[in-house]
Amino acid sequence: QSALTQPPSASGSPGQSVTISCTGTGSDIGGYNYVSWYQQHPGKAPKLMIYEVSKRPSGVPDRFSGSKSGNTASLTVSGLQAEDEADYYCSSYAGKNNSPYVFGTGTKVTVL
Amino acid sequence: EVQLVESGGGLVQPGGSLRLSCAASGFTFSVHWMHWVRQAPGKGLVWVSRINGDGSSRSYADSVEGRFTISRDNAKNTLYLQMNSLRAEDTAVYYCAREENVAFADWGQGTLVTVSS
């Protein structure tokens, strides 16, 4: 199972928006509405930010939003803040018994 | 509050074995799928293995199939990963994670496994 494809980096100034793409196939992103997004600060564990394409867990600011079109999912961070600087990973359910989950390659978001 | 605390990592020689543990609290452990996810130094997240609530269903990534075994003890609220025939490429931080809504809802702090001679 190949990793989902994300851009290595993205950036924006405070208050601006940044959108990260995550491209898979019809066997993962395109086949299920089970895309999730994770934020990871250096040396820390990942944190769930979005699940089921566009739902936010309790406590996640509404500045974070998710969407999907075909085999590509996207995470948008609006009103960028300094604490949003982190690595972001997408993940998708892939349905197979072996490797039922696949992660993206990761995107480093820099707040300029 | 959900807490997941991994332990058991360390330095091991190629071909050696190690058993990781993940102590869970703050939720009904026995009803949740649990996962192991790893991250090699400076690299991305990679799914490793999962087990269902009663331990009757398990899955593995191709890269660890036949070498790693996931298990759980619901009486002790603990998840395990037995790792045998370890290779240099297994070097990583290993996280346990609780599944909810087909996502990794909660993560432990991770435990570092280093495979080197």
Side-chain angles (χ1 to χ4, degrees):
Chain A
Q1 184 76 24
S2 298
L4 306 173
T5 301
Q6 297 180 234
S9 62
S11 63
S13 299
Q16 290 186 332
S17 295
V18 65
T19 297
I20 304 165
S21 62
C22 171
T23 302
T25 68
S27 297
D28 37 65
I29 292 178
Y32 306 92
N33 287 322
Y34 292 129
V35 176
S36 50
W37 288 89
Y38 303 86
Q39 178 191 65
Q40 186 179 33
H41 288 110
K44 301 295 186 182
K47 175 187 175 183
L48 177 64
M49 305 302 284
I50 296 287
Y51 68 97
E52 291 181 7
V53 177
S54 60
K55 298 179 181 179
R56 279 186 312 276
S58 174
V60 172
D62 60 7
R63 303 185 292 103
F64 292 85
S65 62
S67 63
K68 188 188 91 166
S69 178
N71 297 339
T72 299
S74 299
L75 173 73
T76 297
V77 186
S78 304
L80 268 173
Q81 299 182 5
E83 59 262 35
D84 299 333
E85 184 162 298
D87 292 325
Y88 291 82
Y89 294 91
C90 59
S91 179
S92 176
Y93 180 68
K96 305 174 185 179
N97 198 39
N98 266 27
S99 297
Y101 289 88
V102 60
F103 283 96
T105 50
T107 298
K108 168 68 175 179
V109 169
T110 301
V111 180
L112 301 171
Chain B
E1 178 195 4
V2 172
Q3 282 202 323
L4 299 169
V5 180
E6 300 95 337
S7 60
L11 175 63
V12 62
Q13 292 188 338
S17 298
L18 215 52
R19 187 176 86 154
L20 306 183
S21 300
C22 171
S25 61
F27 64 101
T28 306
F29 181 70
S30 61
V31 306
H32 286 272
W33 284 85
M34 296 294 295
H35 299 254
W36 288 99
V37 176
R38 70 185 182 184
Q39 186 171 35
K43 302 297 184 181
L45 301 170
V46 177
W47 179 84
V48 173
S49 182
R50 69 170 179 176
I51 186 169
N52 69 341
D54 65 8
S56 61
S57 179
R58 313 172 193 207
S59 302
Y60 302 92
D62 290 342
S63 58
V64 307
E65 178 86 55
R67 300 188 299 122
F68 290 12
T69 302
I70 191 171
S71 62
R72 64 193 299 160
D73 185 335
N74 287 341
K76 295 183 178 179
N77 286 353
T78 302
L79 174 73
Y80 302 101
L81 185 68
Q82 177 67 43
M83 304 185 296
N84 298 331
S85 302
L86 283 161
R87 306 165 180 167
E89 54 264 36
D90 295 319
T91 293
V93 173
Y94 285 73
Y95 296 100
C96 66
R98 180 182 74 95
E99 180 186 319
E100 187 169 73
N101 298 315
V102 199
F104 306 102
D106 298 285
W107 300 65
Q109 85 288 350
T111 187
L112 176 63
V113 172
T114 303
V115 184
S116 175
S117 55

